[in-house]
Amino acid sequence: MITIQNNKLKANFNELGAELISLINLETEKEIIWNGNPDFWGGQSPVLFPIVGALKNEQYIFEGQTYELPRHGFARRRTFNVKNSSDNEVNFELKSDEESLKIYPFEFSLEIKYTLVEKKLTVSYQVKNLSEKEMYFSLGAHPGFAIDTENGLNYNDYEISFSDDEKLEIHPLVDNLISNETQTIELDNKTLLLSYELFSKDALVMTTMKSRELILRNNKNNHKVIFTFSNFPYFGIWAAKNADFVCLEPWQGIADLENHNQELTEKFGILKLEKHQDWKADWAVEIE
């Protein structure tokens, strides 16, 4: 386990997947991240790479060859190297190797840097195309935030406010693929009330959400988490059935559409990176 800390926050990470597994507010000793109870969901904050969501039949086609990739890709199951670290910052790196090239035919470097400043944790991603050809990929974040249901509180006491949206256009998931239909959720003063029923049909997937700042708030004690992100055009909100957490997920890419032809280069939301070029994105969480 890798730890970084300042006088406000303490964060722990697993080298497997370079995953954030704990973020503690040192002033209140309150844990911000979901505990990873496998009875509900064993993840905590996995990185989704080189795809987000599921592929049709867990397969894609590139240059006439068929490859298989599991849902959300393979990076979350690989051990990252610690490239460098200090008291309040750590930088992880994953590079392509012989095993990855069998299922994803691109040479790459993926770096994830975590930085603490005051009461904010910033997570920065850099993907480098080390191939001599164009590289196609998606990347997504999947942090799960703990919902406090003790001391008279319950899940319905929490809400998410959106900086720039009056309503949300949702793409329902059908067998883990994106439906051709859409549904609309009307927000109350740009606010979504949380409930276990909200995720009864899986994640809320959005490709047109305008907000780049969300606030997860307890409306009884005003405990809140301010979540911001950049260079991620899509977004998902999800929780497992009856579990006391909610995931706020900025994405570059989504699951396959129901009618997708499985060609990687034609996948909705896929990003094309020219040889020897890089791509960057980030998200941050600030505790109040």
Side-chain angles (χ1 to χ4, degrees), residues 7-263:
N7 62 348
K8 305 289 186 182
L9 297 173
K10 178 181 178 181
N12 294 325
F13 309 92
N14 194 333
E15 291 176 72
L16 180 66
E19 187 170 8
L20 170 67
I21 58 174
S22 175
L23 181 63
I24 297 174
N25 182 344
L26 294 177
E27 294 178 349
T28 63
E29 298 186 352
K30 185 177 182 66
E31 176 62 71
I32 307 302
I33 298 299
W34 163 245
N35 61 25
N37 182 345
D39 291 341
F40 296 96
W41 176 55
Q44 292 176 277
S45 184
V47 58
L48 318 181
F49 177 86
I51 58 168
V52 172
L55 297 172
K56 195 173 185 179
N57 300 322
E58 294 193 338
Q59 296 177 330
Y60 68 92
I61 300 168
F62 180 71
E63 295 184 337
Q65 185 170 340
T66 299
Y67 297 86
E68 293 189 3
L69 274 179
R71 190 180 187 191
H72 294 324
F74 56 76
R76 59 183 177 152
R77 306 296 186 212
R78 301 292 297 273
T79 299
F80 283 62
N81 292 319
V82 177
K83 192 171 182 180
N84 50 65
S85 64
S86 63
D87 290 345
N88 59 6
E89 184 174 280
V90 61
N91 190 7
F92 294 93
E93 183 178 35
L94 178 69
K95 283 190 171 183
S96 53
D97 58 23
E98 185 177 341
E99 290 303 309
S100 70
L101 290 169
K102 293 176 183 177
I103 56 176
Y104 181 65
F106 304 98
E107 296 182 33
F108 69 87
S109 165
L110 166 60
E111 292 189 32
I112 306 176
K113 182 170 69 174
Y114 296 93
T115 306
L116 290 176
V117 177
E118 292 296 318
K119 299 184 78 171
K120 177 187 282 190
L121 172 69
T122 299
V123 186
S124 306
Y125 304 91
Q126 181 178 40
V127 177
K128 296 179 182 178
N129 180 6
L130 305 180
S131 301
E132 294 298 323
K133 59 185 177 183
E134 296 170 340
M135 171 181 164
Y136 293 84
F137 76 97
S138 289
L139 186 146
H142 199 315
F145 296 97
I147 298 294
D148 187 357
T149 57
E150 298 180 351
N151 302 315
L153 301 175
N154 60 62
Y155 201 86
N156 295 47
D157 293 327
Y158 283 78
E159 59 191 25
I160 300 171
S161 64
F162 295 77
S163 60
D164 297 290
D165 290 274
E166 303 287 348
K167 61 183 180 181
L168 304 177
E169 187 175 88
I170 306 300
H171 297 265
L173 288 166
V174 178
D175 295 327
N176 293 327
L177 303 180
I178 302 295
S179 169
N180 296 321
E181 316 243 331
T182 60
Q183 300 171 354
T184 299
I185 296 179
E186 299 288 344
L187 300 179
D188 181 6
N189 193 27
K190 298 184 180 179
T191 298
L192 177 69
L193 300 180
L194 287 191
S195 69
Y196 292 131
E197 295 74 28
L198 191 61
F199 309 106
S200 61
K201 296 182 179 179
D202 212 323
L204 309 182
V205 177
M206 293 159 281
T207 59
T208 58
M209 191 181 86
K210 299 188 291 290
S211 298
R212 292 297 178 264
E213 178 182 285
L214 283 69
I215 298 177
L216 174 63
R217 178 189 292 111
N218 183 303
N219 56 38
K220 280 192 174 179
N221 61 19
N222 207 35
H223 163 73
K224 62 184 177 182
V225 168
I226 302 170
F227 187 88
T228 54
F229 59 98
S230 64
N231 208 24
F232 287 106
Y234 314 126
F235 205 84
I237 303 176
W238 174 77
K241 183 179 179 181
N242 297 329
D244 293 331
F245 70 86
V246 64
C247 291
L248 304 179
E249 307 179 40
W251 298 334
Q252 171 63 67
I254 59 173
D256 276 353
L257 304 181
E258 281 186 296
N259 60 352
H260 180 48
N261 62 11
Q262 297 182 278
E263 289 283 349

